[in-house]
């Protein structure tokens, strides 16, 4: 464990593409470009920051907002959703995301209006906090159990109470952590980037077009076949689209 | 009442009048015969008509048609006319004319002659016609009288719209074979392919018609093999599933013509393109009298002219051949920001719709046009292909303001007029109104100002950027890091280790009786060591009590039974049963008595007695066999 921690610490000290000062300068320059309505330059700056490891909720939010101002719905929804995942629900992210969705061409009929329960849990909680809390409580519970036989009889009641509380506390922490694990590993979602993307019944070019999706629509990614990916809309409609037309969240 | 007449009397009067009237006589008793041809000069591929006219043939007359190997007779027809002539006073004359029409074709070239026909009748002998000279040339010789027959043509109604895209002045019969040569063999049933024109431009349609001509009963066409149409983009125009006969006169010979296939050909490169012969297996006759025959058609060639280089407009695509018209809907549109406008481009006309390339709709900045939805509707009329292509563009306004979509121009080559042309639409005006009720107006915003800017930002519907950033590297979640699983398992392993250690200890304590005895003996020795601490104390009872406990524990460990509560006799008996020798039993009992004495007898537990008891106890334990 110690060696793993050391390795993580060493990796985190690897030299970055930008120094913190350079990243800050680029961030500010991009903000200035946005203020001048030079959206292309602003977008380029924010994208560079994300590509070189200086992302985070703030940069992603600015990138999404810039894309939205440019009319790039696909890029806007993608960046804002990523900002949401990176920083949780925040008012400005939700507002711009709602604005982007209002401008989408696709109006999914018959679908659920909000995310699945586990996704909402994951969005409302912090993954590192849940994981660390689980790890601490779990360790405390088992350490107490291990020390139980060495504890004199008068203190054993307190040890039992500590152990029970630690186990009880680790259960919801484990649940929240599992929600994050499920969202990350099982809930594969993407945002349509192409202006118009036909969804076919079969994963081939000549396949019959079942429906069409447009930029900015958030879809579930189910499976891949060649250069096609099977998507599912919130209302259950499924079809195969070109993978290049959808960016994974 | 008296009757003045009867039906019988009236009939008698009529008969008398008829008998009294002069009877018509045969105008000319002597028969006449003559023959003539409708052409004096023909080709070997042409047919001509030989007409033999017999006037007043006597009863029983025999006609002998001209017999020669220089000509073949393709068909013959016979008709008779009777006329009544009134010439001057007196009875009229009945005239009977018998006419034979032979469709003939020369078998060789040169100055030939059709031999005379002969009419033999009893009483008049044999009379002959004159021979008819015919000059025969190789191939086809134009018939000078052919043009006169069709001069003028049918009268047509005036059509101000010309029935676009397919004009009505195309006679459907134009597509049907007119000058079909009759083959020298299998002339009763033959396959013939024709093209509706001899030369076309690249991309212009030529129509291939495949007919089967028959003078016999046709049952079915079993297989049809079309030629390879290399050098063409082709498409079926008509492919009848059932045979349908039309009456045709080919070279004066009546045939049943069955259309097998009609195909539109669009040549893709200039030059002379050859088209191979089609083949078919045909069943003639009915039921058991049916006969299957194989027929091979004729080859064709088509001259394909290149498109003229002069006058080619900019943006011309080589697939745009035909006559096309471009239109756009709507002419104007008013929408709110965020609402799409559907702009429909329609191209309609004659030509190859599949190869048509329509230029895209250009939109000014501030509007965004999505890829169009294209709908093709192919049409055909009288063998000519055409159709309508509709492109529906979804135009999404990005800003408020008034925008003009420039005209769309479609350059094409009109092969009918042999010139380039351009069809263009009218410009479309789209007016995009400002923010809707969904977007709150910015405080202090002046209506109408700032057209062409980002309206969303102006109305503050779009939240501003963040001006402080906490840069974060996209890192793996905690549970995916290398330490997580070991850290989660470590306390479990520790707990299990503790459990295992306790279990092992418990197992270790569960030893055999000998070991237990050794352990107890060891404990007894330890207790004896504790007694040593009391050797010099003021309480001899405590010392001797410890010594006695040590000895008792030692005995229990060695003998395997409890010694507490036993009398001396019982203890001696049990030790005897356990096989303890008599001297050792005596040693034990003496030590026990010594301890009792020290504990309970006043003044008995002096230092010497303590020393002796301690020594005896140690000797007992050390000398006891293991």
């Amino acid at each position: 464990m110690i060696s793993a921690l050391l390795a993580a610490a060493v990796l985190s000290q690897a030299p970055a593409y930008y120094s913190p000062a350079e990243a800050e300068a680029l961030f500010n320059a991009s903000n200035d470009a946005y203020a001048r309505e030079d959206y292309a330059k602003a977008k380029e700056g924010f994208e560079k920051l994300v590509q070189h490891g200086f992302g985070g909720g703030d940069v992603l939010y600015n990138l999404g907002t810039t894309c939205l101002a440019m009319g790039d719905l696909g890029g806007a929804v993608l960046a804002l959703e990523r900002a949401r995942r990176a920083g949780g629900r925040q008012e400005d992210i939700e507002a711009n995301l709602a604005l982007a969705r209002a401008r989408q061409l696709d109006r999914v009929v018959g679908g659920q209006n909000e995310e699945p329960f586990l996704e909402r849990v994951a969005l409302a909680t912090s993954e590192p906090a849940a994981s660390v809390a689980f790890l601490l409580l779990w360790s405390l519970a088992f350490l107490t159990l291990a020390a139980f036989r060495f504890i004199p009889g008068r203190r054993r009641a307190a040890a039992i109470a500590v152990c029970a509380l630690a186990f009880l506390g680790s259960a919801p922490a484990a649940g929240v952590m599992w929600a994050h694990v499920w969202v990350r590993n099982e809930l594969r979602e993407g945002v349509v980037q192409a202006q118009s993307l036909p969804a076919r019944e079969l994963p081939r070019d000549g396949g019959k077009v079942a429906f069409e999706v447009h930029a900015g629509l958030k879809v579930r990614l189910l499976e891949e076949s060649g250069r096609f990916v099977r998507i599912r809309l919130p209302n259950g409609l499924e079809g195969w689209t070109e993978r290049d037309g959808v960016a994974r969240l | 009442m008296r009757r003045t007449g009867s039906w019988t009397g009236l009939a008698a009067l009529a008969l008398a009048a008829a008998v009294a009237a002069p009877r018509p006589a045969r105008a000319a008793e002597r028969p006449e015969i003559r023959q003539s041809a409708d052409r004096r000069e023909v080709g070997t591929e042409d047919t001509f008509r030989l007409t033999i006219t017999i006037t007043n043939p006597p009863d029983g007359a025999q006609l002998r048609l001209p017999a020669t190997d220089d000509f073949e007779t393709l068909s013959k027809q016979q008709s008779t006319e009777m006329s009544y002539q009134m010439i001057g006073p007196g009875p009229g004359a009945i005239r009977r004319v018998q006419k034979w029409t032979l469709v003939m074709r020369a078998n060789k070239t040169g100055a030939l002659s059709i031999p005379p026909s002969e009419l033999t009748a009893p009483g008049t002998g044999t009379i002959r016609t004159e021979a008819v000279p015919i000059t025969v040339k190789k191939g086809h010789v134009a018939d000078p009288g052919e043009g006169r027959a069709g001069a003028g043509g049918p009268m047509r109604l005036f059509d101000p719209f010309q029935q676009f895209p397919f004009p009505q002045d195309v006679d459907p019969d134009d597509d049907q074979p007119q000058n079909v040569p009759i083959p020298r063999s299998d002339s009763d049933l033959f396959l013939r392919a024709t093209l509706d024109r001899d030369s076309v431009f690249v991309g212009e349609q030529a129509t291939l018609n495949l007919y089967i001509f028959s003078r016999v009963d046709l049952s079915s066409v079993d297989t049809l093999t079309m030629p390879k149409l290399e050098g063409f983009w082709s498409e079926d125009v008509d492919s009848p599933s059932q045979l349908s006969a039309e009456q045709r006169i080919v070279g004066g010979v009546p045939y049943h013509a069955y259309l097998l296939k009609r195909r539109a050909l669009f040549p893709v490169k200039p030059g002379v393109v050859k088209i191979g012969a089609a083949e078919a297996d045909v069943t003639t006759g009915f039921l058991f009298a049916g006969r299957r025959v194989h027929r091979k058609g004729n080859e064709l060639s088509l001259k394909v002219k290149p498109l003229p280089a002069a006058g080619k407009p900019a943006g011309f695509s080589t697939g745009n051949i035909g006559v096309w018209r471009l239109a756009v809907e709507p002419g104007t549109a008013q929408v709110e920001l965020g609402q799409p406008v559907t702009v429909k481009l329609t191209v309609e006309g004659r030509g190859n719709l599949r190869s048509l390339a329509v230029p895209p709709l250009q939109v000014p900045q501030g509007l965004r046009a999505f890829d169009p939805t294209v709908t093709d509707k192919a049409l055909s009329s009288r063998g000519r292909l055409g159709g309508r292509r509709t492109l529906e563009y979804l135009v999404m306004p990005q800003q408020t303001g008034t925008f003009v979509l420039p005209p769309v121009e479609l350059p094409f080559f009109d092969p009918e007029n042999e010139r380039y042309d351009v069809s263009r639409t009218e410009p479309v005006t789209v007016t995009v109104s400002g923010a809707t009720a969904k977007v709150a107006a910015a405080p202090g915003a002046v209506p109408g100002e700032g057209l062409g800017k980002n309206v969303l930002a102006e109305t503050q519907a779009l939240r501003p950027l963040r001006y402080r950033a906490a840069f974060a590297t996209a890192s793996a979640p905690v549970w995916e890091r290398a330490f997580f699983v070991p850290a989660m398992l470590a306390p479990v392993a520790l707990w299990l280790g503790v459990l295992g250690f306790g279990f092992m200890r418990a197992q270790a304590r569960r030893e055999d009786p000998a070991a237990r005895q050794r352990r107890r003996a060891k404990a007894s020795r330890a207790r004896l060591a504790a007694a040593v601490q009391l050797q010099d104390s003021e309480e001899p009872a405590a010392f001797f009590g410890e010594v006695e406990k040590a000895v008792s524990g030692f005995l229990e460990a060695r003998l395997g039974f409890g010694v507490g509560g036993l009398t001396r006799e019982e203890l001696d008996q049990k030790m005897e049963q356990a096989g303890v020798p008599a001297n050792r039993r005596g040693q034990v009992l003496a030590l026990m008595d010594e301890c009792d004495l020290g504990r309970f007898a006043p003044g008995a537990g002096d230092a010497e007695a303590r020393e002796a008891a301690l020594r005896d106890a140690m000797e007992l334990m050390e000398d006891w066999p293991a």
Side-chain angles (χ1 to χ4, degrees), chain A residues 4-26:
Chain A
L5 287 169
L6 284 173
V10 169
L11 285 175
S12 66
Q13 297 300 318
Y17 188 86
Y18 294 122
S19 68
E22 288 171 338
E24 189 71 33
L26 181 57

Side-chain angles (χ1 to χ4, degrees), chain B residues 315-455:
Chain B
F316 171 75
S317 172
T318 53
N320 294 356
I321 310 296
V323 182
W324 302 101
R325 283 184 189 170
L326 192 60
V328 66
E329 294 178 30
T332 58
Q334 289 191 340
V335 293
E336 290 182 346
L337 186 66
Q339 297 298 315
V341 184
T342 302
V343 178
K344 187 190 291 185
L345 270 181
T346 306
V347 189
E348 190 176 23
R350 301 187 295 274
N352 187 0
L353 186 66
R354 314 281 185 211
S355 68
L356 191 66
V358 183
L361 180 72
Q362 302 293 333
V363 294
Q365 190 172 6
L367 300 181
R368 170 167 293 179
F370 294 95
D371 290 341
T373 303
V374 182
T375 309
D376 279 354
K377 184 176 183 182
L379 301 171
S380 70
S381 177
R382 302 177 184 114
R384 310 301 295 174
L385 286 186
R388 183 186 306 118
R389 173 172 294 174
T390 306
L391 299 94
E392 288 191 40
Y393 285 88
L394 197 68
V395 177
M396 181 64 77
Q398 307 289 307
Q399 301 170 350
T400 58
T402 300
F403 304 93
V404 178
L405 276 61
V408 181
E409 295 186 344
L410 175 70
F412 60 91
F413 178 72
D414 180 359
E416 296 167 13
N417 295 313
E418 301 191 4
R419 63 182 175 84
Y420 290 98
D421 203 348
V422 177
S423 179
R424 54 176 61 84
T425 65
E426 296 295 323
V428 177
T429 304
V430 178
T431 304
V432 182
S433 58
T436 64
K438 298 174 190 172
V439 182
V446 179
E449 273 193 357
L451 291 181
K453 292 185 178 178
N454 186 340
V455 174

Side-chain angles (χ1 to χ4, degrees), chain B residues 257-281:
Chain B
Y258 301 87
L259 176 66
L260 299 183
K261 186 78 77 178
R262 179 170 290 150
R263 202 165 177 82
L265 310 179
F266 296 91
V268 295
K269 58 183 179 181
V272 177
V273 187
K274 300 285 184 186
I275 301 173
E279 296 184 39
D281 290 320

Side-chain angles (χ1 to χ4, degrees), chain A residues 1 4-5 23-24 27-28 31 34 37 39 46 49 53-59 61-62 65-66 68-71 90-93 95-96 99 103 105 127-128 131 134-135 138-139 142-143 145-146 149-150 177 180-181 184-185 195, chain B residues 338 340 368 370-371 373 394 396-398 439 453-454 456-458 461-484 486-492 494-496 498-499 501-503 505:
Chain A
M1 188 174 78
L5 287 169
E24 189 71 33
F27 180 78
N28 291 333
N31 278 0
Y34 181 90
E37 297 187 357
Y39 301 128
F46 292 132
L49 285 172
F54 288 85
D58 300 323
V59 178
Y61 166 78
N62 282 10
T65 304
T66 306
L68 190 56
M70 293 173 73
Q90 295 184 23
E91 188 192 359
D92 51 359
I93 296 177
N96 285 355
L99 190 62
R103 298 179 64 189
L105 291 180
E127 177 274 321
S131 301
F134 164 74
L135 206 56
W138 174 263
S139 301
F142 277 97
L143 288 174
L145 274 180
R149 63 184 296 112
F150 304 109
M177 191 183 71
H180 283 276
V181 172
R184 185 176 175 89
N185 293 339
Q195 292 299 332
Chain B
R368 170 167 293 179
F370 294 95
D371 290 341
T373 303
L394 197 68
M396 181 64 77
Q398 307 289 307
V439 182
K453 292 185 178 178
N454 186 340
L456 296 173
E458 282 181 356
L462 189 64
R463 296 299 174 92
L465 297 187
R466 295 177 183 174
Y467 289 93
R468 283 181 176 275
F471 300 118
T473 306
S475 57
V478 174
W479 74 82
E480 282 187 356
R481 297 187 189 175
F483 69 86
F484 184 80
M488 192 179 71
L489 294 179
V492 181
L494 179 64
W495 174 60
L496 291 175
V498 170
L499 280 184
F501 179 71
F503 177 76
R505 281 190 66 186

Side-chain angles (χ1 to χ4, degrees), chain B residues 79-377:
Chain B
S79 62
T80 302
E81 296 175 5
M82 300 221 18
S83 59
Y84 180 78
Q85 290 182 326
M86 297 286 289
I87 304 172
I94 295 174
R95 180 185 171 88
R96 192 159 73 98
V97 177
Q98 193 178 66
K99 187 181 287 185
W100 289 81
T101 304
L102 279 65
V103 178
M104 305 185 77
R105 183 168 59 185
N107 290 332
K108 63 181 184 181
T109 58
L112 306 179
S113 174
I114 301 174
S117 301
E118 294 179 357
L119 183 70
T120 306
T124 59
T126 299
I127 54 177
R128 293 185 179 81
T129 66
E130 296 293 326
V132 177
I134 294 280
T135 302
V136 181
K137 296 183 177 177
K138 186 172 178 60
H140 177 70
V141 175
D143 183 1
E146 191 176 34
R148 293 190 299 273
M155 185 180 71
R156 300 191 189 284
L157 295 175
F158 172 69
D159 176 13
F161 301 105
Q162 299 181 350
Q163 293 294 317
F164 190 84
F166 297 105
Q168 206 168 15
D169 58 355
V170 177
D171 193 330
D173 290 337
D174 287 351
D175 291 339
Q176 297 174 357
Q178 299 295 321
N179 297 318
V180 175
I182 300 173
R184 296 200 173 274
S185 63
D186 303 325
S187 62
D188 285 345
L189 179 69
F190 61 92
L191 197 61
R192 193 58 70 214
T194 60
L195 285 169
D196 64 336
R197 54 194 67 191
D198 298 327
S199 69
V200 292
F201 284 97
V202 172
E204 184 186 3
Q205 179 182 343
T207 307
L208 173 69
N209 299 294
L210 183 63
Y211 277 86
I212 190 160
F213 289 86
S214 174
R215 287 196 294 175
V216 297
D217 293 326
L218 195 64
S219 176
S220 64
V221 176
D222 302 323
T223 58
L224 174 64
T225 306
M226 289 294 288
K228 287 183 180 177
L229 298 171
E230 292 177 353
F232 295 100
W233 187 93
S234 65
E235 183 173 336
D236 269 350
V237 177
D238 197 0
S239 184
S241 57
Q242 290 185 335
L243 292 175
S244 177
E246 299 172 35
Q247 189 73 27
R248 289 289 170 76
I249 304 297
V250 181
V253 182
Y255 276 92
H256 287 298
Y258 301 87
L259 176 66
L260 299 183
K261 186 78 77 178
R262 179 170 290 150
R263 202 165 177 82
L265 310 179
F266 296 91
V268 295
K269 58 183 179 181
V272 177
V273 187
K274 300 285 184 186
I275 301 173
E279 296 184 39
D281 290 320
V282 183
T283 301
T284 60
F286 294 102
L287 297 175
F288 303 107
R291 187 168 68 94
R292 189 172 184 181
V293 296
H294 182 80
R295 289 290 183 269
K296 186 174 182 179
N298 55 309
E299 295 182 348
L300 295 168
S301 65
L302 179 67
K303 182 182 178 187
V304 182
K305 297 178 284 187
L307 297 179
K312 187 179 292 186
F316 171 75
S317 172
T318 53
N320 294 356
I321 310 296
V323 182
W324 302 101
R325 283 184 189 170
L326 192 60
V328 66
E329 294 178 30
T332 58
Q334 289 191 340
V335 293
E336 290 182 346
L337 186 66
Q339 297 298 315
V341 184
T342 302
V343 178
K344 187 190 291 185
L345 270 181
T346 306
V347 189
E348 190 176 23
R350 301 187 295 274
N352 187 0
L353 186 66
R354 314 281 185 211
S355 68
L356 191 66
V358 183
L361 180 72
Q362 302 293 333
V363 294
Q365 190 172 6
L367 300 181
R368 170 167 293 179
F370 294 95
D371 290 341
T373 303
V374 182
T375 309
D376 279 354
K377 184 176 183 182

